[in-house]
């Protein structure tokens, strides 16, 4: 199993551009999450999904959109990129929402908006 | 989910046991204690979790106090590759309810 795979690993965007961060998992997990991590800070939840066709906002959803058309994929869309969106983005998945379940994280996408 | 408190940083000599504390005094009876670590801005990696009993796996041991208000993650023989930020999380529900704080930055010293 590859686990959680994120692409690209690095990206530089100009202000106002748009892009999609890709996330795919091969563990058949129902739950998927997008986090951002600013330098020296903890992870903040952007969006999450409890299954195909179902998504919901996390702590910091403004400026982002998501979709979940399949169990495997959970892309994160940035529209009109702003310097405040410069961050490292992590995708994660878990197979249930129960308290005894661990989450598996991707290796991150480092995004710079200039 | 219960709030957790961790020291911002710790040092440990290579080969020695690293004991990382976590306070979760408001934890409820059905909340698990989880530990993750993040090495050099990579994705967080699961280490171990427990409810009330002490737990051990190939990576670490988790000691939870009897009143469950605090816990300690033990890396029995720390190596330089254990240098990372360690996050303690108390949760019952999904990760959408979790706040990953700033964790403890463990520096293993040669």
């Amino acid at each position: 199993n590859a686990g959680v795979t994120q692409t690209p690993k690095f990206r530089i965007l100009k202000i106002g551009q748009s892009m999609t961060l890709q996330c795919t998992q091969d563990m058949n997990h129902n739950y998927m999450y997008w986090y951002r991590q600013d330098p020296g800070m903890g992870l903040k939840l952007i969006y999450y999904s409890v299954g195909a066709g179902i998504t919901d906002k996390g702590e910091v959803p403004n400026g982002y959109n998501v979709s979940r058309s399949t169990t495997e994929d959970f892309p994160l869309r940035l529209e009109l990129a702003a310097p405040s969106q410069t961050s490292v983005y992590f995708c994660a998945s878990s197979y249930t929402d129960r308290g005894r379940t661990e989450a598996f994280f991707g290796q991150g996408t480092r995004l710079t908006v200039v | 989910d219960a709030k957790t408190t961790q020291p911002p940083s710790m040092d440990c000599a290579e080969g020695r046991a690293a004991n990382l504390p976590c306070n979760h005094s408001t934890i409820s009876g059905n909340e698990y204690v989880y530990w993750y670590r993040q090495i050099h801005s990579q994705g967080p990696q699961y280490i171990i979790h427990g409810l009330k009993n002490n737990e051990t796996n190939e990576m670490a041991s988790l000691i939870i106090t009897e009143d469950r208000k605090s816990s300690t993650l033990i890396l029995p023989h720390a190596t330089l590759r254990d240098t990372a930020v360690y996050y303690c999380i108390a949760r019952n529900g999904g990760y959408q309810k979790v706040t990953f704080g700033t964790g403890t930055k463990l520096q293993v010293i040669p």
Side-chain angles (χ1 to χ4, degrees):
Chain A
N1 287 351
V4 178
T5 303
Q6 292 183 235
T7 56
K9 288 186 171 52
F10 302 93
R11 184 71 186 268
I12 298 174
L13 277 184
K14 293 185 177 179
I15 295 172
Q17 287 185 321
S18 301
M19 76 164 293
T20 299
L21 281 66
Q22 301 291 343
C23 175
T24 187
Q25 51 94 6
D26 62 358
M27 297 172 283
N28 203 33
H29 287 173
N30 287 336
Y31 293 82
M32 296 188 74
Y33 314 86
W34 273 106
Y35 294 88
R36 61 175 286 173
Q37 186 174 34
D38 299 333
M41 307 295 286
L43 283 77
K44 292 187 177 180
L45 184 69
I46 306 171
Y47 271 95
Y48 66 97
S49 168
V50 302
I54 307 170
T55 63
D56 207 347
K57 297 177 180 178
E59 302 173 77
V60 290
N62 291 345
Y64 307 94
N65 278 299
V66 293
S67 60
R68 185 94 182 273
S69 57
T70 66
T71 299
E72 296 78 19
D73 300 308
F74 190 40
L76 178 72
R77 178 82 178 161
L78 278 72
E79 304 282 2
L80 298 174
S84 61
Q85 293 178 304
T86 293
S87 191
V88 181
Y89 292 83
F90 291 103
C91 179
S93 72
S94 63
Y95 69 86
T96 155
D97 198 28
R98 300 268 178 93
R100 58 182 177 272
T101 304
E102 71 201 74
F104 296 80
F105 285 81
Q107 290 305 294
T109 295
R110 187 176 298 273
L111 177 67
T112 302
V113 181
V114 296
Chain B
D1 293 343
K3 178 181 167 57
T4 60
T5 304
Q6 300 176 251
S9 63
M10 293 181 64
D11 291 338
C12 178
E14 189 178 16
R16 298 291 189 118
N19 298 292
L20 290 88
C22 180
N23 183 290
H24 31 79
S25 57
T26 61
I27 196 168
S28 62
N30 56 358
E31 286 183 314
Y32 287 75
V33 178
Y34 275 79
W35 285 84
Y36 284 81
R37 73 180 182 184
Q38 189 173 24
I39 298 173
H40 204 334
S41 297
Q42 296 177 17
Q45 176 191 24
Y46 165 81
I47 301 172
I48 198 167
H49 74 281
L51 184 61
K52 57 178 73 173
N53 297 322
N54 297 338
E55 302 287 345
T56 295
N57 63 20
E58 64 278 5
M59 291 181 68
S61 295
L62 174 60
I63 308 298
I64 303 174
T65 58
E66 194 168 339
D67 63 8
R68 300 206 334 117
K69 292 185 176 182
S70 65
S71 62
T72 300
L73 177 75
I74 301 173
L75 307 178
H77 305 286
T79 70
L80 298 179
R81 287 174 295 186
D82 292 321
T83 292
V85 177
Y86 288 77
Y87 297 98
C88 170
I89 297 163
R91 58 176 282 261
N92 173 37
Y95 287 88
Q96 66 271 25
K97 301 177 185 176
V98 167
T99 298
F100 282 80
T102 51
T104 296
K105 186 171 184 178
L106 175 69
Q107 182 72 47
V108 180
I109 302 168

